[in-house]
Amino acid sequence: MARRKLSAWRRLRIAVIDRIARALVQLLARLPLSALHRLGAWVGWVFIHWPNRQRRNALINLKLCLPALDHAELIALRDRNLVEFGKTYLEIGYLWLRPLPQVHDLVREVHGAEFLLRQPGKGLIVLSPHLGAWELAGLHLARQGPTAIFYKPQRYLDGLILAARQRCGAELAPITARGIRVLVQALERGDYVGVLPDQEPKEDKGAVFAPLFGIPAFSMLLVNRLARRTGAPVIFMFAQRLPDAAGFRMHCIPAPAGIDSDDDVVAATALNRGIEQCVAICPEQYVWPYKRYRRRPAGLPGIYDGPLDDHKLLALIERRPSQRETTPP
């Protein structure tokens, strides 16, 4: 009985939070993009000056992934990243709820547009890392033609997210066996398939450790399986945020060789190398606060701990054994 009461209370709590979050998103969507970016920059400024785990985790990732930068450069890049991080989440409601012609007009130019063209009779796998405005990248992809997008159901705002991502006609495929069948069928019809490739998989099956910026990262094999089964080519695409709310620049980049390899580690390494190539274009717009290396190979300690003070944290990381693989990606 107590369990049923707790479950009911939890459902009520989720419903209330969802209603409040939806109202906030709808309110923010009414503001001009320039105002949202100024507000997002202010949110980033708060994160920069208030010691917190997101600030710390971003600096840990940057220190491990970009070891050539000195302490001042790492902190400066981390601070720019937190400003962009704020803009990313403040602009989402605008991208979800504003009229589609207004949202599509935000794409000022497309670099590598030729790579987004499908070959006759073949689908195309399009990978969009959590870089820049990934919601805009998904809408831009669905605008090109029939599209199925791999989708992780969310606890909050799930209905709003579904409606927003489907409004260009995309089919949302949940992260289940049924969802994977939807992706395969779409590629066999010659459609587009969109996947966010840089989140840590929850299941052991269908993932391996492969280097990402030289650090072993638990990496999905879904893209490899889709490419091998259907013969569909693979590209990366992301929307780079331009300064002064001037819109976005879309980048389309062919996937590195080996992403369809029979060797799982070779395939996952190629996937991660493509993510690295995208991030190199605008590293300040990547989701560095995300705990991408939360899962560690057997015998290796966790990395997301330590003081919140920047200089103490960097000194601690330098005293730890190297986390980098001996063979670069």
Side-chain angles (χ1 to χ4, degrees):
M1 186 69 174
R3 180 173 295 179
R4 286 198 297 271
K5 288 183 179 178
L6 178 62
S7 177
W9 165 249
R10 187 174 184 182
R11 289 196 300 270
L12 176 61
R13 179 175 177 270
I14 291 173
V16 170
I17 295 175
D18 186 86
R19 181 70 62 87
I20 293 172
R22 180 183 289 263
L24 180 59
V25 169
Q26 291 171 339
L27 177 63
L28 290 172
R30 298 179 181 180
L31 298 177
L33 187 62
S34 57
L36 290 170
H37 283 180
R38 286 194 296 270
L39 185 59
W42 180 84
V43 171
W45 183 90
V46 172
F47 271 81
I48 290 167
H49 292 88
W50 168 53
N52 59 85
R53 292 179 181 179
Q54 287 74 25
R55 188 183 86 159
R56 181 194 66 188
N57 295 341
L59 191 58
I60 289 172
N61 283 332
L62 286 166
K63 174 64 176 174
L64 295 177
C65 295
L66 305 176
L69 300 183
D70 63 31
H71 286 194
E73 291 170 328
L74 286 169
I75 292 171
L77 178 55
R78 190 277 315 276
D79 291 352
R80 295 198 306 274
N81 176 244
L82 291 176
V83 168
E84 296 297 325
F85 191 66
K87 293 178 183 179
T88 295
Y89 286 97
L90 268 293
E91 75 192 8
I92 280 181
Y94 188 103
L95 300 175
W96 283 346
L97 299 175
R98 288 290 182 123
L100 279 175
Q102 187 175 351
V103 173
H104 290 317
D105 284 346
L106 293 174
V107 179
R108 305 304 188 194
E109 54 185 319
V110 181
H111 287 189
E114 65 275 15
F115 299 117
L116 197 53
L117 300 176
R118 290 169 292 173
Q119 301 173 15
K122 275 195 174 183
L124 181 65
I125 302 170
V126 182
L127 309 180
S128 294
H130 287 84
L131 177 66
W134 56 85
E135 293 292 342
L136 179 59
L139 292 172
H140 183 75
L141 176 62
R143 189 186 186 191
Q144 309 308 308
T147 300
I149 295 178
F150 210 36
Y151 163 73
K152 179 181 179 181
Q154 302 296 308
R155 176 175 298 177
Y156 303 113
L157 296 176
D158 192 65
L160 180 60
I161 294 171
L162 278 170
R165 292 179 177 176
Q166 290 173 330
R167 63 189 187 133
C168 280
E171 180 179 10
L172 274 292
I175 301 180
T176 61
R178 182 179 68 83
I180 293 174
R181 287 196 296 272
V182 169
L183 301 185
V184 171
Q185 291 166 0
L187 291 172
E188 289 176 343
R189 290 194 303 266
D191 296 348
Y192 291 101
V193 158
V195 177
L196 292 162
D198 55 344
Q199 288 183 306
E200 185 177 272
K202 299 298 183 184
E203 304 293 334
D204 292 347
K205 185 179 179 181
V208 294
F209 283 100
L212 175 65
F213 293 101
I215 313 296
F218 201 53
S219 307
M220 67 162 61
L221 292 171
L222 171 65
V223 175
N224 171 262
R225 302 294 189 257
L226 292 173
R228 288 170 54 193
R229 178 167 178 174
T230 67
V234 184
I235 71 165
F236 286 81
M237 183 177 74
F238 68 94
Q240 178 186 8
R241 186 176 303 106
L242 300 176
D244 303 319
F248 297 84
R249 177 182 298 118
M250 204 69 67
H251 295 268
C252 301
I253 303 170
I259 203 164
D260 57 352
S261 171
D262 293 339
D263 185 307
D264 288 347
V265 174
V266 170
T269 300
L271 174 76
N272 290 342
R273 187 178 297 118
I275 295 169
E276 293 170 15
Q277 291 172 354
C278 294
V279 173
I281 293 173
C282 50
E284 71 282 356
Q285 294 187 24
Y286 192 52
V287 286
W288 293 111
Y290 175 60
K291 294 181 180 180
R292 181 62 183 90
Y293 305 104
R294 186 195 329 246
R295 182 159 182 169
R296 307 287 286 142
L300 292 184
I303 62 175
Y304 295 109
D305 58 9
L308 299 181
D309 178 85
D310 290 341
H311 296 285
K312 291 179 181 178
L313 176 65
L314 290 170
L316 174 64
I317 296 172
E318 289 182 342
R319 292 196 298 269
R320 290 174 172 172
S322 174
Q323 303 292 329
R324 303 186 68 78
E325 296 197 347
T326 54
T327 303

